[in-house]
Amino acid sequence: MIRDMYPQLSLATGIFLCALISTATVERDFSTMNRILTDLRYRLTTEHLEELMRISIEGPSDLNNDLKDLIIDCHEMNGNWYSWSIGSTPNDYVLAWRHTYNILLNKGIDATRLQWVWSVNRKDYGQYTAEEYWVGENYTHWLGINGFNGGSSANWSKWEWPNEILDNMIGRLHNLSSTKPMSLNAYATVGVRTGNTTDVQSKNEWLRQMCDYINNNNIKMASYNNVDEPNQDNMVFGGTHGDVIWNNFNAYSAYRNCLQSNDWIEPNITNPRLITDEQFA
């Protein structure tokens, strides 16, 4: 009945149903995955593999905009809690890093658009040292480090001041390269210095000392990890504790005072994303 009422539509539907299904796109995706997921990189997480495939298939979306970005790939490799440091060797890591670096560079994404941050944990907890994972001068733009003060929040941690946390590893990184800028990619402190009671004054003093440490050690970039963890009151803004109130949020004055100093590069107020190539470097 419907065929008689709509003969042309019926003909078109029949042709469509008989058409061969193209698998070209799917086959290209599988081919890309096989090129990326070599024996040296078979431990890549699904998220890493997806991003690498997207870059390989689509390339950069727009190289003519003002977007600048940093990539901190496979950080804290000298720990023992990530897939890229468990069951693999530093040679695996270095080869995978350099291969990915070259893929992006060959896509035309140079250091004015994307800068690489080779970032270690402040202590070696894995089977290998941070130095064994060194990717080389030509394959990174920054030296990075993560360091946290756990205080008495866990039975494996103790209260440590910024210099106690960072001095050793920063010295080791400078021995690897004397030309790369240093970044503190994630740092934080709890407030519990002894027992399980938050000591606001001690946390404020830790934050003040860290601000001085960043300046005195020529650290060019620093990011506070403003997230509370179980039994760890890391937050310096919007958390449970603080010594000042700002816009109805608890905050720590030492962190505020540090940010309000003239030591930081402020964004362009007409375009907060935009910084100069010199500032980016």
Side-chain angles (χ1 to χ4, degrees):
M1 179 69 70
I2 294 178
R3 184 181 304 168
D4 296 334
M5 294 174 60
Y6 305 102
Q8 298 301 322
L9 181 59
S10 178
L11 176 62
T13 302
I15 294 173
F16 175 78
L17 292 174
C18 293
L20 294 175
I21 298 174
S22 174
T23 61
T25 300
V26 177
E27 292 296 337
R28 281 196 296 269
D29 290 349
F30 276 115
S31 296
T32 301
M33 182 181 70
N34 290 333
R35 286 196 303 272
I36 294 173
L37 206 60
T38 64
D39 290 341
L40 290 177
R41 294 193 298 276
Y42 75 93
R43 295 182 182 89
L44 286 173
T45 64
T46 303
E47 291 78 9
H48 274 92
L49 179 59
E50 180 182 351
E51 293 300 324
L52 292 176
M53 288 177 62
R54 180 175 293 113
I55 292 169
S56 180
I57 295 169
E58 300 176 4
S61 58
D62 182 8
L63 291 180
N64 295 319
N65 61 30
D66 63 358
L67 182 63
K68 301 177 187 296
D69 207 352
L70 296 157
I71 180 169
I72 306 175
D73 194 23
C74 298
H75 64 298
E76 296 182 359
M77 76 299 289
N78 58 326
N80 56 9
W81 41 83
Y82 289 125
S83 59
W84 47 85
S85 55
I86 299 175
S88 61
T89 68
N91 187 58
D92 297 334
Y93 178 93
V94 171
L95 290 176
W97 176 287
R98 292 181 178 181
H99 180 77
T100 310
Y101 181 98
N102 286 329
I103 287 176
L104 294 177
L105 187 61
N106 291 335
K107 292 290 185 180
I109 309 177
D110 61 18
T112 65
R113 298 293 182 189
L114 180 69
Q115 296 205 358
W116 290 70
V117 185
W118 183 77
S119 183
V120 304
N121 189 64
R122 62 103 166 193
K123 274 187 178 181
D124 299 320
Y125 287 100
Q127 183 179 355
Y128 304 99
T129 66
E131 287 84 351
E132 292 176 277
Y133 288 98
W134 174 230
V135 295
E137 285 272 347
N138 296 328
Y139 291 93
T140 189
H141 304 99
W142 291 78
L143 299 175
I145 183 172
N146 292 354
F148 296 85
N149 173 35
S152 60
S153 62
N155 57 14
W156 46 263
S157 66
K158 63 178 181 179
W159 185 272
E160 296 176 279
W161 297 102
N163 64 300
E164 296 176 299
I165 295 171
L166 298 173
D167 273 356
N168 179 264
M169 185 57 74
I170 283 183
R172 290 165 59 184
L173 295 184
H174 280 311
N175 287 334
L176 290 175
S177 174
S178 60
T179 62
K180 303 297 180 183
M182 185 73 66
S183 65
L184 189 53
N185 298 320
Y187 76 98
T189 179
V190 298
V192 285
R193 186 172 180 179
T194 57
N196 57 6
T197 302
T198 294
D199 184 339
V200 171
Q201 183 177 355
S202 289
K203 181 168 179 174
N204 223 24
E205 176 60 18
W206 192 98
L207 293 167
R208 188 196 67 77
Q209 289 191 25
M210 177 58 85
C211 186
D212 290 341
Y213 190 92
I214 290 170
N215 284 321
N216 295 336
N217 288 274
N218 202 28
I219 294 173
K220 296 295 188 181
M221 179 169 58
S223 300
Y224 191 88
N225 189 52
N226 194 53
V227 178
D228 280 351
E229 304 289 348
N231 303 319
Q232 293 187 329
D233 58 331
N234 292 319
M235 295 178 72
V236 293
F237 177 77
T240 305
H241 304 283
D243 68 316
V244 294
I245 302 293
W246 191 85
N247 280 7
N248 296 321
F249 290 103
N250 290 313
Y252 283 84
S253 59
Y255 189 75
R256 176 200 62 192
N257 295 340
C258 184
L259 290 182
Q260 289 180 343
S261 70
N262 295 322
D263 299 313
W264 304 90
I265 296 174
E266 295 189 11
N268 181 339
I269 60 174
T270 62
N271 183 358
R273 293 194 315 164
L274 185 60
I275 60 175
T276 66
D277 291 347
E278 182 180 1
Q279 291 172 338
F280 188 45

